[in-house]
Amino acid sequence: PPRVVCSSTCYRAETDTGREPWGLYRVHQFTKVEMFGVTAAESGAESEGLLAEFLALQKEMFAELGLHFR
């Protein structure tokens, strides 16, 4: 199946702690990398295999970088 990786800048609103002055809207900016794959929909086995492949790649990358993940 075709595999694609893309990077995008994202923004996520901070959770409301009640300590911010009225009208202040705070966000976190971060960059994320996503992996996409296109599979056939006949049985779902191809999708499950691709997901397992993506998970294995992610675990390998994080382990080599010494980062914690779950």
Side-chain angles (χ1 to χ4, degrees):
R3 294 161 180 86
V4 180
V5 174
C6 70
S7 165
S8 63
T9 302
C10 301
Y11 302 91
R12 179 174 296 147
E14 266 189 18
T15 58
D16 183 23
T17 61
R19 291 180 290 204
E20 290 83 14
W22 178 257
L24 184 62
Y25 185 72
R26 297 174 59 173
V27 295
H28 294 286
Q29 176 183 348
F30 58 98
T31 302
K32 68 178 177 180
V33 176
E34 295 183 272
M35 295 188 280
F36 297 94
V38 179
T39 61
E42 285 85 26
S43 69
E46 192 175 22
S47 278
E48 291 176 11
L50 187 60
L51 177 60
E53 180 182 332
F54 283 165
L55 286 172
L57 283 169
Q58 291 174 21
K59 288 177 181 179
E60 180 183 340
M61 286 187 284
F62 281 114
E64 287 181 8
L65 291 170
L67 300 172
H68 297 281
F69 60 91
R70 56 180 171 151

